[in-house]
Amino acid sequence: MDFTQILDWGGNFIYAMLALVALYGAFTVILLLRRIQEKQFSNAAADEFLEQVREKLQTKDFDGVAELCDSPAYWSKAVPQLVLFALNKKEQTMSRLRRGLAETFEREILADLEYRMSWVGTIVKSAPMLGLLGTVIGMISAFQQLDLAQSAGGEGGEQLAGAISVALFTTAAGLAVAIPLVLAGALINVRIGRLQDGVQHWIGEFLDDYEVAVGSTGGRDS
């Protein structure tokens, strides 16, 4: 295999890598958006859920609250998952319970989203670099073609211009992959922020009712 064939192989490899990076980036973005939607409550659904929880807490029906959280309509949502955590920690004071809920939310829900978001960030950084590498390989190939053309007695100007335009295409392709992912990443960060705000608000409402229901059985700050 001569140097020209190596350059041609390298160019094809860059195109293949850009295609794979684009596909994986799109897959990760779709997965993240679905994951956030899976964990997030709409305002109406949250109000309905909390009202049902409130009614059961008023009669100290903790088992009923647990069954509600495990029902198909709610088991995948973040708030019911945290409610289940609180039900298993009735012996804790409210201050400790609040810290535990925050840590659980961070560890069980946000950490997974942030891990997946890190891959989007990696793709955003790597796609332009792959494109630049393809351009460098293409430029090396273009100047090699120019040298061969001049050695054969031709000028090679038209060949050089065509080869450079092809080489620059990989940089454009890399940017075309990265720019939509930057926008998608911003959208995902906004939705993660809304998820956090919603969970904090709704868990706050639940804890107000929960503290009253637990009463003297535990969970009050001394």
Side-chain angles (χ1 to χ4, degrees), residues 85 92-105:
F85 173 86
Q92 293 187 354
T93 62
M94 291 304 297
S95 60
R96 287 187 62 190
L97 180 59
R98 289 178 187 276
R99 287 197 300 271
L101 286 169
E103 291 170 0
T104 300
F105 180 57

Side-chain angles (χ1 to χ4, degrees), residues 99-150:
R99 287 197 300 271
L101 286 169
E103 291 170 0
T104 300
F105 180 57
E106 177 73 29
R107 182 178 62 253
E108 301 294 336
I109 297 169
L110 287 184
D112 176 63
L113 298 177
E114 290 170 358
Y115 169 75
R116 297 180 190 278
M117 267 300 296
S118 69
W119 280 107
V120 176
T122 299
I123 293 170
V124 167
K125 294 176 183 178
S126 62
M129 294 175 68
L130 283 170
L132 181 60
L133 176 60
T135 295
V136 171
I137 292 174
M139 293 292 286
I140 293 172
S141 178
F143 281 107
Q144 186 181 43
Q145 291 178 21
L146 176 62
D147 181 58
L148 292 174
Q150 289 178 340

Side-chain angles (χ1 to χ4, degrees), residues 28 39 167 199:
T28 304
K39 295 296 179 183
V199 168

Side-chain angles (χ1 to χ4, degrees), residues 28-129:
T28 304
V29 166
I30 293 170
L31 194 65
L32 271 166
L33 291 174
R34 292 187 63 181
R35 186 72 170 171
I36 294 170
Q37 184 178 15
E38 179 183 90
K39 295 296 179 183
Q40 195 168 30
F41 259 140
S42 66
N43 289 333
D47 291 340
E48 180 183 353
F49 171 75
L50 291 174
E51 183 60 34
Q52 294 180 68
V53 170
R54 185 175 296 113
E55 292 174 357
K56 294 181 184 300
L57 287 178
Q58 288 172 352
T59 60
K60 299 186 184 297
D61 183 11
F62 298 111
D63 290 338
V65 175
E67 290 178 5
L68 178 65
C69 293
D70 274 331
S71 63
Y74 300 123
W75 70 268
S76 64
K77 304 296 183 184
V79 173
Q81 290 176 358
L82 296 176
V83 169
L84 281 174
F85 173 86
L87 294 176
N88 292 325
K89 303 293 182 180
K90 289 194 290 292
E91 75 284 355
Q92 293 187 354
T93 62
M94 291 304 297
S95 60
R96 287 187 62 190
L97 180 59
R98 289 178 187 276
R99 287 197 300 271
L101 286 169
E103 291 170 0
T104 300
F105 180 57
E106 177 73 29
R107 182 178 62 253
E108 301 294 336
I109 297 169
L110 287 184
D112 176 63
L113 298 177
E114 290 170 358
Y115 169 75
R116 297 180 190 278
M117 267 300 296
S118 69
W119 280 107
V120 176
T122 299
I123 293 170
V124 167
K125 294 176 183 178
S126 62
M129 294 175 68

